[in-house]
Amino acid sequence: MTEQTIYELSQPGRKGFAFPEPDVPSTPLPQEFERESVRLPELSELDVIRHFTNLSHLNHSVDGGFYPLGSCTMKYNPKINEAVARLPGLANTHPLQPIVSVQGNLYLMYQLQEWLQEISGFDKVCLTPAAGAQGELVGALIIKKYHQDNNDPKRVKILIPDSAHGTNPATSSMSGFDVVPLPSDARGNVDLEALKTHCDDTLAGLMLTNPNTLGLFDEHVEQVVQLVHSAGGLVYGDGANLNALLGIIRPGDVGFDIMHFNLHKTFSTPHGGGGPGSGPVGVTQALADYLPGPIVTIIEDGDEENPPFYGFYTPEKTIGRMKAFYGHFGMLVRAYTYIAMHGPEGLRDIGEKAVLNANYLMKKVSEDYYLPYDRTCMHEFVVEGAWKDIPGVHALDIAKRLMDYGFHPPTNYFPLVVHEALMIEPTETESKQTLDAFAAAMKAIAKEAREDPEMLNKAPYTTPLRRCDEVKAARDLVFCCWVPEE
Amino acid sequence: METPKALKYTKTDEWIKVDGDEATVGISDYAQDQLSDIVYVELLVDEDDTVTKGDGIATIESVKAAADVNAPVSGTILAINEDLEDAPEKLNSDPYQSGWLIKMKLDDPSELDDLMSAEDYEAYNEEREA
Amino acid sequence: MYTPHTPQEIEEMLSFIGVKSIEALFEKVPAKHRFPQLDLPAGLTEMEVAAELNEIASANASTDDFISFLGAGAYNHYIPAAVDMILQRGEFYTAYTPYQPEVSQGTLQSIFEFQSLMTELTGMDVSNASHYDGATAAAEAANLAYHTFRGKRKKILVSRSVNPQYRETIRTYMNGMENVSVLGDEIENSETFESFMDLIDKDTAVVVVQYPDFFGRIIDYTKLVEKAHEAGALVTYVFNPTALGLLKPPGAFDADIAVADGQPLGIPLSYGGPYLGIFTVKDKYVRKLAGRLVGETVDEEGTRAYVLTLTAREQHIRREKSTSNICTNQGLMALAATVYLSLLGKSGFKQVANLCYQKAHYAAEQISKLPGFELAFPDTPFFHEFVIKTPKPVNEINLHLEHHWILGGYDLSQDYPEMENHMLIAVTEKISREDIDDFVAALEEVTHD
């Protein structure tokens, strides 16, 4: 099942959209800059709609089926979010309008800052970062500037557990730090002894994902934080897995200094086929002055009759601007709506059900798959997608075969600390029936692996395409489609 | 897995073949197998560059991994294998011959004493597999 | 709210797990911090939250209420209804990064088509799957150049007529690099660029210019490009995508990197985001390109297929050795631009660019006839934005205009202290001749006060 490209569908002279004729006198173009034409496709509106509708049918999505992609929190995206983000009064505001004309936007952003602070236990939140990775960059640059301002430039080392997402080390080196990997102990926690050996006066900080990518809550998290603090370092929390902690514990209370939120994971803003994300950052009071701007604040207090008047400020020692304007406002509207609908009880319900679902599914799946860290998990868990006595079957085969059963595969080959990893995150919005069906498919695949391993090597069979040749793509580089000559 | 006896090996999977005070460097059969299908080789050095033992001399990319290749000894680069730009798969198919990466002139042949023999390297690989 | 569990199912699940209560699953969480009482308003129903958001929205006045002449990096264009209809398909917006090509061809092919459209638009060789926005794309361009020279060239030259917010973002990103200096802000803004060009030397990694520039001017950078290339440096064009409907593309000027904010291509203003970072390069920089890239291949049966490729550049494989930490792209926004350009097509896209150009020129001519108002750069061609010298401070004028439900132009003195009484005015196809005449009449009143 394939779809032609927009250029293949193009017919010379066909039109899909017309603008009104000019209503002003004509001014000639500057000839030296004029281009002849842009080779864009020529299609009718129906051609375009049918093309993209057909393409959409080739995707697996949360709306279409279970999507247990570990560490991505593929929960249901409520439809009301989409409706309110499109309200013309919000969607059609220009970012440079006078602030008096956008007090609604600023109120919403201010409330969201306050709510994220309350949920996480941090003192100040900045909404601008465009995605989690950019939130991490904010954090790393804050750590850097903080030590510089304390005349402590020899702190060049960032510790990163070996189970961390790739963005953590990438961010650290992008910020000019030396990255030192930290091993995990046998229970999947940060190895305290290894940590101690690095706690010296060159330590800038630690980036810690908790629960970590094994889905495990670090049993010594308070000790870890304390060790880093007493060595003069700061602790950055990767908030990728915050879903498990909603209403359960606040990272700020545990002593983390900085953390980013992934609004597209925890707070239900849609993943959009890869983005946009949104990665606000929270910090302690001591670091609030380093945040990037602009941040919303109350410029004039309100009274019984008038609401407060909101405006922007940029902190004094700021690390600088991260992007144009104020962050992914459309995503902020969705996250605001989601939190407003949940309240304290609803948020705790999310954390609890995410963890309940993961533990239930872990117990079911581990009947047939090896669970390297066998203890209560948080929102996700990792099993090995291979068996010692079936050398021909790999995690990739299991992942691909799951598609034939109608499921999106789990994250595979990550985290790196587990051999042939399959990382499964069901999220709280999935029902027991869905989890049972997925567990049954995993069981059936384990059986197939024993009975017909070669069959698994060729899976999937029922998807729009069979296994794709990634080596060819990387060797014969083709990044653009055929375009008809003029 | 092939491990030619006449070569010396490093813990980071480079091989070196010495001929007088000149040497050829590449990556081992074991390394190419671990990386799987190699799709790109970037040589980080040019002729006449001087390198110190441990310096990066190339980056190798497969579809699932990226690896750095380091100079096994110090010296001056005499030649680089420009064919690899268009045919990176030679590193998979022929790692010890046409898949060579650089030729270099040695500064200090005694540095070779720190490298592993074929037997030691095979034992080292077995240890890693276990 | 969206958890489907019935009390009976919860019991069954807990008993299968072998614990007595949900609370028992959290024993490893430090007890003294466990289950905090969050001080948040109680949850609302959908009906209540819809009413609340309506109320918030009504506390704003939008570009639907105003006639808007604001641009300066975000543009009020018409978005065909079909664009958002496609974006609202759950198959697109509730999918994630297409890691599994067999069940993600919809996303992959639309990104591949986005890449194709971007290379056609810019005249460049390769486009990636997008960055966060124009500002971060510009910063990643500097990052790419820095890494191309393996950190040996320490100067990043950024013209002062590049969007001020982009310049700030580039500076922030370069803070992480050792001893890199970002220069250009100290050079007086001139039309010849001679003193800026004098900064180019063998230590320069990249020269960043904007086209049309922040003041809307169409500038011929040919000499600057030549000089940069002679010094071995790269050149980055920050462009406006709508302008390329009429103007020669960055590729025609031998740019090495061309970046833009793609918001004008069918993406709502949405108070500044999410927008779309367009990132295109010459072939030879493809392996230094940060961000996702879709390539064509075949499946096992030889059917054409698309996959994410050259992933070994990226953070999830290269970790601390990757040159950028970028992970997400702006997938859905790239889809918006793809649908927008497919729908407008060859003729529609040229039409919209021409409308912007014609209307902006009519507005400029009418405003410059007013006593006390004149074009700041009368001899330089412009696209759909231009700078007017005003007889009074811009904020005063804009306050007056607001009473007429007109959003005046951007006050340039905020970023350029020497440009007191300089207003940057943007005109798009959504502005009618009557709107322009009303604007001119309202401006004229200012001189009477």
Side-chain angles (χ1 to χ4, degrees):
Chain A
M1 213 187 314
T2 55
E3 171 74 12
Q4 287 183 292
T5 70
I6 36 170
Y7 278 104
E8 289 163 351
L9 293 164
S10 174
Q11 292 299 326
R14 189 171 284 171
K15 290 188 174 116
F17 193 84
F19 286 96
E21 288 304 310
D23 54 359
V24 294
S26 175
T27 307
L29 294 169
Q31 269 181 357
E32 66 275 30
F33 293 103
E34 195 176 349
R35 91 189 273 179
E36 270 179 37
S37 70
V38 191
R39 290 191 302 177
L40 295 178
E42 298 172 86
L43 305 151
S44 70
E45 181 169 325
L46 176 59
D47 290 336
V48 172
I49 289 293
R50 205 165 269 169
H51 172 65
F52 288 102
T53 303
N54 288 341
L55 283 183
S56 78
H57 294 158
L58 306 178
N59 270 3
H60 187 95
S61 63
V62 175
D63 280 2
F66 188 40
Y67 212 130
L69 198 60
S71 244
C72 298
T73 315
M74 301 301 288
K75 61 169 72 180
Y76 175 63
N77 304 131
K79 301 307 156 196
I80 183 67
N81 290 355
E82 299 307 306
V84 294
R86 287 171 168 83
L87 287 171
L90 302 174
N92 298 342
T93 48
H94 190 288
L96 298 171
Q97 278 184 224
I99 53 171
V100 66
S101 67
V102 284
Q103 285 294 301
N105 289 348
L106 272 68
Y107 164 79
L108 183 146
M109 292 164 78
Y110 184 80
Q111 282 301 319
L112 184 59
Q113 287 170 194
E114 296 283 309
W115 289 352
L116 292 176
Q117 284 159 207
E118 177 62 18
I119 290 167
S120 63
F122 288 99
D123 297 314
K124 198 77 217 166
V125 160
C126 162
L127 301 173
T128 62
Q134 215 194 23
E136 289 179 32
L137 184 58
V138 166
L141 291 173
I142 287 177
I143 293 172
K144 187 166 184 165
K145 193 139 198 273
Y146 172 81
H147 291 309
Q148 273 169 359
D149 283 6
N150 288 340
N151 292 317
D152 209 357
K154 66 182 176 302
R155 294 190 179 271
V156 294
K157 196 168 69 183
I158 294 266
L159 305 179
I160 298 178
D162 51 10
S163 58
H165 299 116
T167 48
N168 291 180
T171 302
S172 300
S173 60
M174 207 177 164
S175 312
F177 287 112
D178 297 337
V179 175
V180 180
L182 266 188
S184 311
D185 70 14
R187 289 181 58 79
N189 300 311
V190 168
D191 186 325
L192 287 177
E193 291 312 309
L195 172 62
K196 282 176 195 161
T197 64
H198 294 297
C199 284
D200 53 33
D201 63 1
T202 65
L203 179 64
L206 163 73
M207 291 183 98
L208 185 65
T209 312
N210 188 41
N212 64 19
T213 61
L214 297 164
L216 302 172
F217 192 91
D218 197 296
E219 294 164 306
H220 317 121
V221 62
E222 291 181 292
Q223 225 178 321
V224 169
V225 169
Q226 198 240 321
L227 278 169
V228 174
H229 281 170
S230 43
L234 295 172
V235 182
Y236 182 91
D238 181 326
N241 295 342
L242 187 67
N243 205 45
L245 304 184
L246 288 179
I248 308 297
I249 190 169
R250 309 193 312 164
D253 292 345
V254 183
F256 284 86
D257 300 289
I258 315 171
M259 186 190 79
H260 77 261
F261 302 79
N262 292 97
L263 298 188
H264 52 289
K265 296 180 180 176
T266 313
F267 298 102
S268 82
T269 75
H271 284 73
S278 182
V281 168
V283 294
T284 58
Q285 199 57 51
L287 301 175
D289 249 2
Y290 293 96
L291 283 169
I295 297 174
V296 183
T297 187
I298 293 178
I299 291 180
E300 260 172 61
D301 285 328
D303 53 37
E304 275 163 29
E305 275 159 34
N306 301 296
F309 188 74
Y310 298 93
F312 288 109
Y313 78 103
T314 293
E316 210 179 308
K317 301 185 215 167
T318 181
I319 56 159
R321 177 179 281 284
M322 294 308 293
K323 66 183 291 296
F325 308 122
Y326 326 110
H328 285 164
F329 177 74
M331 299 299 124
L332 307 180
V333 175
R334 291 168 172 90
Y336 174 98
T337 305
Y338 186 73
I339 297 171
M341 281 186 76
H342 281 84
E345 286 82 26
L347 291 176
R348 178 168 162 180
D349 181 57
I350 293 170
E352 289 185 347
K353 299 293 162 45
V355 173
L356 175 68
N357 276 1
N359 278 285
Y360 178 73
L361 192 57
M362 179 173 80
K363 184 104 195 265
K364 290 222 140 190
V365 170
S366 62
E367 288 170 2
D368 302 282
Y369 295 81
Y370 175 63
L371 184 65
Y373 300 91
D374 186 7
R375 61 178 172 104
T376 304
C377 69
M378 295 297 279
H379 62 300
E380 66 189 356
F381 60 94
V382 181
V383 293
E384 283 191 12
W387 298 269
K388 283 218 167 70
D389 54 336
I390 317 173
V393 173
H394 298 277
L396 186 71
D397 303 316
I398 294 160
K400 298 295 181 194
R401 183 63 178 155
L402 272 166
M403 297 176 198
D404 287 329
Y405 287 87
F407 297 110
H408 194 281
T411 299
N412 47 61
Y413 297 102
F414 185 83
L416 308 172
V417 293
V418 174
H419 174 65
E420 298 276 344
L422 287 173
M423 182 193 205
I424 302 171
E425 180 180 13
T427 84
E428 74 282 2
T429 53
E430 297 300 331
S431 68
K432 179 172 175 292
Q433 291 74 33
T434 301
L435 304 181
D436 287 341
F438 179 77
M442 289 291 282
K443 189 177 269 303
I445 293 170
K447 191 160 175 264
E448 288 168 350
R450 292 190 187 281
E451 290 167 0
D452 191 0
E454 284 82 33
M455 184 273 286
L456 289 189
N457 298 148
K458 294 275 179 198
Y461 297 91
T462 60
T463 47
L465 287 177
R466 300 289 303 280
R467 263 189 216 196
C468 299
D469 187 347
E470 297 187 15
V471 176
K472 177 179 163 59
R475 282 186 180 158
D476 313 337
L477 303 175
V478 181
F479 303 121
C480 306
C481 48
W482 167 83
V483 174
E485 286 302 320
E486 297 265 283
Chain B
M1 211 76 66
E2 252 188 279
T3 312
K5 300 280 181 240
L7 311 185
K8 291 261 195 182
Y9 300 86
T10 68
K11 286 201 162 177
T12 46
D13 302 303
E14 293 88 7
W15 56 258
I16 182 164
K17 186 168 96 185
V18 184
D19 185 7
D21 63 350
E22 288 183 19
T24 309
V25 175
I27 62 163
S28 70
D29 198 13
Y30 179 87
Q32 72 76 21
D33 185 65
Q34 289 287 311
L35 282 164
S36 78
D37 298 296
I38 289 165
V39 296
Y40 183 60
V41 179
E42 184 186 14
L43 288 157
L44 305 173
V45 290
D46 267 322
E47 266 174 53
D48 300 331
D49 284 357
T50 55
V51 292
T52 307
K53 181 179 173 173
D55 283 356
I57 54 171
T59 311
I60 297 176
E61 292 179 9
S62 71
V63 287
K64 64 171 194 189
D68 294 324
V69 183
N70 305 320
V73 291
S74 309
T76 306
I77 306 296
L78 298 172
I80 59 173
N81 187 353
E82 284 169 358
D83 295 348
L84 295 176
E85 191 174 340
D86 293 324
E89 62 275 12
K90 283 185 178 172
L91 279 170
N92 292 120
S93 58
D94 193 14
Y96 296 109
Q97 298 294 332
S98 61
W100 65 275
L101 291 165
I102 59 156
K103 291 186 195 293
M104 63 191 293
K105 193 172 163 59
L106 306 186
D107 277 354
D108 176 8
S110 75
E111 281 180 345
L112 294 165
D113 300 342
D114 301 338
L115 305 180
M116 283 183 275
S117 67
E119 291 76 21
D120 291 348
Y121 182 65
E122 276 176 344
Y124 168 69
N125 288 343
E126 267 168 43
E127 203 177 293
R128 284 194 284 181
E129 284 293 292
Chain C
M1 182 61 67
Y2 300 101
T3 50
H5 308 66
T6 66
Q8 194 194 331
E9 285 168 350
I10 294 171
E11 284 313 312
E12 284 170 19
M13 292 169 81
L14 288 172
S15 118
F16 180 75
I17 297 168
V19 292
K20 292 223 160 55
S21 66
I22 289 183
E23 283 77 10
L25 296 169
F26 297 102
E27 276 171 1
K28 293 296 175 195
V29 174
K32 66 174 183 289
H33 301 303
R34 209 187 293 161
F35 304 128
Q37 289 302 312
L38 298 181
D39 181 16
L40 296 172
L44 302 176
T45 61
E46 178 175 321
M47 208 165 92
E48 290 163 325
V49 88
E52 183 174 313
L53 267 293
N54 268 302
E55 200 181 320
I56 292 172
S58 67
N60 292 332
S62 78
T63 52
D64 296 341
D65 306 306
F66 289 112
I67 301 166
S68 172
F69 293 90
L70 261 179
Y75 301 93
N76 185 22
H77 290 286
Y78 183 78
I79 303 173
V83 176
D84 196 46
M85 288 296 161
I86 295 297
L87 257 51
Q88 290 202 49
R89 293 195 68 86
E91 299 94 326
F92 281 125
Y93 85 83
T94 75
Y96 198 24
T97 304
Y99 294 121
Q100 300 290 347
E102 298 84 356
V103 289
S104 310
Q105 286 298 304
T107 297
L108 286 162
Q109 185 171 333
S110 56
I111 295 174
F112 187 76
E113 291 176 355
F114 169 78
Q115 293 174 180
S116 307
L117 290 166
M118 291 305 112
T119 56
E120 284 303 319
L121 186 64
T122 57
M124 302 296 288
D125 299 323
V126 182
S127 164
N128 75 359
S130 72
H131 279 237
Y132 307 133
D133 71 356
T136 60
E140 288 279 7
N143 192 28
L144 183 158
Y146 173 80
H147 286 286
T148 294
F149 299 106
R150 301 201 183 104
K152 285 176 192 151
R153 292 186 175 224
K154 302 286 192 191
K155 277 166 73 172
I156 310 286
L157 301 186
V158 188
S159 157
R160 197 154 172 262
S161 66
V162 169
N163 185 319
Q165 298 200 354
Y166 291 25
R167 285 184 277 134
E168 285 179 50
T169 306
I170 293 171
R171 274 174 203 285
T172 309
Y173 271 61
M174 290 300 113
N175 275 338
M177 318 291 167
E178 212 173 325
N179 301 325
V180 170
S181 45
V182 182
L183 303 174
D185 271 5
E186 59 290 343
I187 301 292
E188 184 135 343
N189 179 52
S190 81
E191 286 167 80
T192 61
F193 278 84
E194 268 163 26
S195 44
F196 178 62
M197 278 168 59
D198 287 344
L199 294 174
I200 300 172
D201 61 15
K202 296 279 183 198
D203 196 32
T204 305
V206 65
V207 186
V208 185
V209 293
Q210 189 168 326
Y211 170 82
D213 72 5
F214 187 62
F215 308 113
R217 301 176 302 183
I218 307 168
I219 290 176
D220 186 349
Y221 297 111
T222 307
K223 282 191 184 139
L224 180 144
V225 175
E226 276 171 18
K227 185 156 186 212
H229 285 167
E230 272 166 31
L234 275 58
V235 175
T236 296
Y237 268 55
V238 177
F239 65 91
N240 177 302
T242 311
L244 299 193
L246 292 180
L247 304 183
K248 278 184 190 161
F253 297 100
D254 204 20
D256 300 286
I257 307 171
V259 300
D261 199 303
Q263 178 273 330
L265 305 177
I267 296 167
L269 288 166
S270 189
Y271 205 51
Y275 289 172
L276 169 68
I278 298 170
F279 198 102
T280 61
V281 294
K282 280 184 185 166
D283 263 335
K284 62 177 163 182
Y285 301 110
V286 66
R287 303 206 178 249
K288 300 283 173 203
L289 195 56
R292 302 215 160 106
L293 198 52
V294 173
E296 186 182 306
T297 184
V298 292
D299 79 350
E300 219 162 57
E301 292 173 342
T303 308
R304 183 168 67 190
Y306 305 96
V307 295
L308 291 174
T309 193
L310 299 190
T311 52
R313 300 161 296 123
E314 293 185 70
Q315 47 76 26
H316 66 277
I317 289 178
R318 199 158 272 183
R319 297 177 79 83
E320 67 271 17
K321 285 180 182 141
S322 61
T323 58
S324 170
N325 70 346
I326 194 163
C327 183
T328 53
N329 67 341
Q330 298 287 103
L332 202 65
M333 303 295 113
L335 178 64
T338 308
V339 180
Y340 178 86
L341 288 174
S342 304
L343 197 62
L344 264 57
K346 193 171 159 179
S347 65
F349 190 59
K350 187 166 189 174
Q351 228 188 336
V352 70
N354 187 51
L355 282 169
C356 292
Y357 180 86
Q358 298 298 345
K359 286 171 192 252
H361 283 75
Y362 174 73
E365 196 192 326
Q366 298 301 310
I367 296 167
S368 57
K369 280 184 193 160
L370 293 174
F373 291 84
E374 58 175 314
L375 282 169
F377 308 106
D379 302 323
T380 316
F382 61 93
F383 176 59
H384 72 341
E385 271 182 303
F386 54 92
V387 179
I388 287 279
K389 284 192 210 167
T390 57
K392 288 185 177 172
V394 173
N395 56 359
E396 275 179 41
I397 296 174
N398 278 344
L399 270 177
H400 173 83
L401 292 172
E402 279 165 46
H403 295 300
H404 293 270
W405 286 99
I406 293 170
L407 279 177
Y410 183 72
D411 180 357
L412 286 167
S413 69
Q414 297 173 78
D415 305 292
Y416 301 89
E418 75 280 16
M419 294 180 99
E420 284 290 338
N421 300 1
H422 281 65
M423 183 191 277
L424 176 64
I425 293 168
V427 186
T428 69
E429 78 283 1
K430 282 177 89 171
I431 300 289
S432 69
R433 179 176 186 153
E434 202 187 337
D435 293 338
I436 296 169
D437 293 342
D438 289 347
F439 180 39
V440 174
L443 283 174
E444 192 178 13
E445 287 174 15
V446 172
T447 56
H448 298 172
D449 292 350

